[in-house]
Amino acid sequence: MTRLIPSSAITPESLYTRRGFLGIAGALSAATLLAACGRRATEPTLSGEQPASEPRDELDDPLNSFEQITNYNNYYEFTTDKQEVARLATSFRSSPWELEVGGLVARPRIFALEDLLAFPQEERIYRLRCVEGWSMVIPWQGFPLHQLLRMVEPLPTARYVRFETIFRPEEMPGQRDRYYPWPYIEGLRLDEAMHDLTLMATGLYGRTLPPQNGAPVRLVVPWKYGFKSIKAVVRIELTEQIPTSLWMAMAPHEYGFYANVNPEVAHPRWSQASERRIGELGRRPTLPFNGYADEVAMLYSGMDLRRNF
Amino acid sequence: MSSPSTHLRQASVGIHLGALFPLLLLLIDSLLGRLSVNPIQDLTLRTGQVALILLLLSLSCTPLGRLTGWTWMVALRKPLGLYSFLYVSLHLLVFVGLDYGLDGLLISQAIAEKRYVLAGLVSFLLLLPLAATSTRAAQRRLGRWWRRLHWLVYPAAIAALLHYLWLSKVARVPILAAALLLALLLLRIPLLRQRLRRR
Ligand code: HEM
């Protein structure tokens, strides 16, 4: 179980930064990736001609740069200053690491980092929409959470999944601030957690996940506001009761359990109708479910999304 | 020994330098591309922070002057208030021009849907006539109405703090700022009483 993925399985970063990413090995990985999520790919033309352009997401928007993604982070465990996280996180030890998976499962177990990396790693280009009104397009590597959950065999009584971030105030100065009820907690409904778009990310841009982005392993739920995508996960627990996230505990009327990106449901204080894509001036309209409505809207059919915000 | 007027002169110089320094830093960071990858938010937050600090400092001049006996401090209210208004105006320009690209529809939607924007706007609209009547000539022309008009700085500060509270994910700093404002208001009450008694 301690097989490490050969480094050749990961697209080298140079391919991302080079024009013609889709033209080379990227065409394969991008096509498999997009096929895997059941999405339209920017397919190579029949003549074999490759689009000589920067890599893009399936809505044809360019990726944000590695610099942007790794220097502008909301990670209150370090600091509330998004530009300072990268500096404060340099001494964070993300290896060795253990992820404990338990609760209402038949086979609880502890995954070492190597076990997590032994899942077949895929590349997924996802939009990340922060509740503050900005967004990025990020090429992650990782594996769908359902693969891990299947291994532990959820019991029929399990309805929710509770995630917990590491608590290590010596290395995470923000955690010394007692104002917040650390550790960070997030939750998903089991069917959301089993959805193929729900990713456990272990890297980005072909590199190991940087500490400021949630190393060594974090959740990525692209149709929900960014705070749902909990970082540096050490515990996953399947439960019958709905988990209370840190933000739900701090401000229950402002942060709901679902937190699906929804331009029609204004946050009690912020409209969510538009957003600023990092790297662009001006604003662009926010899409329902962050542009993933075709894949996930059916999870919520019949629910009043205004009440279940 | 330094006289009150030297104190005043020194404090004024300090205020001019101190209030212009953040603007200089903003210009340098903008020109050198040293803002964050979300530069518009950076500009918004930094102008807003300076505006609020200067506004609260302006409000503390009278009570602090009375408390310390440094009555010359009262004269600092005006430059502090005007500098605050300068930053509020920049803050608004960034919001309307850079952030929302002069898109009237998006802006009116933002005002209607985000109560913190409405509170900021109210604060700005209350501060506007104060800045416009800050000259000596206006003061003379308005006579006793000037004083009544400038009392609007209190609702303006309250609106600014509501703005700050409502836009913050975490209420701690806004609450500290509100506590400061409350303290300043409370300090004014006995003074107000004294003044009434003297009449
Ligand atoms: C003219 C109407 C105003 C508008 C449209 C406006 C808009 C904004 C916006 C969009 C933000 C950023 C919110 C975010 O990114 O989360 C902000 C932040 C802020 N504004 Fe305003 N504002 C206005 C007036 C004011 C006034 C009058 C003051 C104070 C005198 C003020 C002080 C602040 C402060 C302190 C912040 C927060 C800075 C921080 O979070 O560190 N604003 N404002």
Side-chain angles (χ1 to χ4, degrees):
Chain A
M1 247 343 270
T2 50
R3 181 173 56 93
L4 282 165
I5 20 162
S7 54
S8 60
I10 299 173
T11 307
E13 190 197 354
S14 61
L15 286 183
Y16 286 103
T17 46
R18 201 151 77 208
R19 280 165 63 84
F21 157 79
L22 285 177
I24 327 168
L28 288 173
S29 53
T32 33
L33 147 64
L34 292 162
C37 345
R39 320 187 56 86
R40 248 177 306 116
T42 327
E43 283 171 44
T45 54
L46 285 179
S47 61
E49 214 176 274
Q50 308 295 346
S53 60
E54 307 287 325
R56 286 169 181 270
D57 70 1
E58 84 287 358
L59 300 180
D60 208 27
D61 288 317
L63 306 191
N64 282 98
S65 70
F66 185 77
E67 281 297 299
Q68 290 169 330
I69 297 167
T70 55
N71 286 293
Y72 195 70
N73 310 96
N74 257 332
Y75 203 164
Y76 283 19
E77 280 82 345
F78 290 101
T79 167
T80 52
D81 182 345
K82 291 186 267 294
Q83 295 173 78
E84 278 295 300
V85 175
R87 193 178 60 77
L88 289 171
T90 45
S91 54
F92 181 71
R93 284 178 297 120
S94 55
S95 171
W97 195 265
E98 287 188 344
L99 169 59
E100 185 187 334
V101 186
L104 300 173
V105 298
R107 301 172 174 273
R109 70 171 273 194
I110 293 175
F111 291 84
L113 185 53
E114 297 74 44
D115 306 328
L116 298 172
L117 292 172
F119 285 101
Q121 308 284 307
E122 302 173 19
E123 286 157 339
R124 300 265 180 114
I125 297 174
Y126 282 164
R127 290 171 292 286
L128 177 93
R129 167 63 155 81
C130 178
V131 74
E132 292 169 2
W134 53 267
S135 61
M136 293 194 194
V137 183
I138 304 177
W140 302 104
Q141 300 105 238
F143 56 92
L145 176 61
H146 60 71
Q147 292 186 357
L148 182 147
L149 291 179
R150 289 224 165 85
M151 283 182 74
V152 296
E153 296 174 21
L155 298 175
T157 43
R159 292 191 54 215
Y160 295 95
V161 187
R162 179 184 182 276
F163 302 84
E164 191 176 315
T165 294
I166 194 163
F167 181 69
R168 206 188 266 168
E170 329 78 75
E171 290 176 29
M172 301 175 120
Q175 286 183 337
R176 286 173 223 153
D177 186 343
R178 293 302 190 72
Y179 186 76
Y180 302 87
W182 304 117
Y184 198 83
I185 306 290
E186 261 308 337
L188 293 175
R189 225 167 50 191
L190 185 56
D191 58 341
E192 297 176 321
M194 295 297 286
H195 194 284
D196 189 55
L197 284 179
T198 304
L199 192 73
M200 292 301 277
T202 56
L204 61 85
Y205 261 115
R207 302 193 195 183
T208 336
L209 201 59
Q212 64 268 36
N213 296 86
V217 64
R218 68 171 291 172
L219 182 72
V220 183
V221 195
W223 71 92
K224 293 176 180 279
Y225 294 116
F227 64 86
K228 291 295 287 184
S229 293
I230 184 169
K231 304 186 181 86
V233 183
V234 286
R235 192 160 298 122
I236 295 180
E237 196 185 332
L238 282 83
T239 63
E240 195 172 357
Q241 301 297 329
I242 191 162
T244 304
S245 72
L246 177 135
W247 285 114
M248 286 161 74
M250 285 193 77
H253 47 289
E254 289 176 13
Y255 297 94
F257 174 76
Y258 287 96
N260 292 320
V261 175
N262 191 338
E264 270 126 55
V265 176
H267 179 277
R269 2 167 169 192
W270 303 299
S271 157
Q272 296 289 4
S274 67
E275 67 198 54
R276 197 182 308 120
R277 180 64 48 84
I278 297 301
E280 288 178 1
L281 290 180
R283 307 182 75 86
R284 47 164 75 210
T286 288
L287 303 172
F289 297 105
N290 202 21
Y292 301 95
D294 288 349
E295 286 84 359
V296 300
M298 77 283 183
L299 293 175
Y300 310 100
S301 55
M303 277 175 65
D304 180 353
L305 294 177
R306 279 181 190 281
R307 296 194 50 223
N308 298 288
F309 55 91
Chain B
M1 279 310 292
S2 49
S3 68
S5 73
T6 0
H7 280 309
L8 179 56
R9 225 173 307 125
Q10 287 166 348
S12 304
V13 172
I15 282 172
H16 288 297
L17 292 179
L20 287 172
F21 184 65
L23 186 58
L24 186 72
L25 263 186
L26 267 182
L27 283 175
I28 292 176
D29 285 350
S30 307
L31 292 176
L32 297 183
R34 287 206 313 216
L35 297 171
S36 76
V37 299
N38 197 351
I40 297 176
Q41 188 184 41
D42 232 22
L43 292 175
T44 309
L45 298 184
R46 284 166 67 173
T47 49
Q49 287 159 4
V50 180
L52 187 64
I53 291 170
L54 290 174
L55 186 61
L56 291 178
L57 282 178
S58 169
L59 285 174
S60 30
C61 289
T62 307
L64 284 187
R66 302 265 169 117
L67 270 183
T68 56
W70 298 343
T71 42
W72 51 266
M73 279 185 75
V74 175
L76 303 176
R77 274 188 317 190
K78 181 166 136 181
L80 283 168
L82 280 175
Y83 274 122
S84 172
F85 188 73
L86 170 71
Y87 282 93
V88 170
S89 308
L90 291 172
H91 187 66
L92 181 63
L93 281 177
V94 171
F95 178 82
V96 171
L98 289 179
D99 196 353
Y100 283 79
L102 299 177
D103 184 331
L105 190 70
L106 269 186
I107 293 172
S108 45
Q109 199 182 354
I111 297 171
E113 285 190 353
K114 307 188 194 190
R115 57 182 184 181
Y116 82 80
V117 173
L118 184 64
L121 191 64
V122 166
S123 179
F124 171 76
L125 292 176
L126 290 171
L127 290 171
L128 186 64
L130 310 195
T133 59
S134 65
T135 59
R136 246 194 215 134
Q139 192 167 359
R140 238 176 288 121
R141 218 171 331 111
L142 286 168
R144 59 198 177 91
W145 282 101
W146 189 87
R147 193 158 264 254
R148 294 190 185 165
L149 182 67
H150 280 246
W151 175 86
L152 286 179
V153 72
Y154 292 106
I158 291 170
L161 281 173
L162 273 181
H163 169 68
Y164 188 23
L165 182 73
W166 283 340
L167 69 85
S168 300
K169 262 199 277 197
V170 175
R172 181 170 41 184
V173 184
I175 284 176
L176 285 177
L180 184 67
L181 178 66
L182 189 68
L184 292 173
L185 291 177
L186 289 178
L187 273 175
R188 298 228 55 164
I189 293 174
L191 302 176
L192 221 118
R193 258 197 237 119
Q194 278 172 17
R195 210 180 303 158
L196 286 174
R197 230 181 285 137
R198 242 181 279 139
R199 284 223 179 114

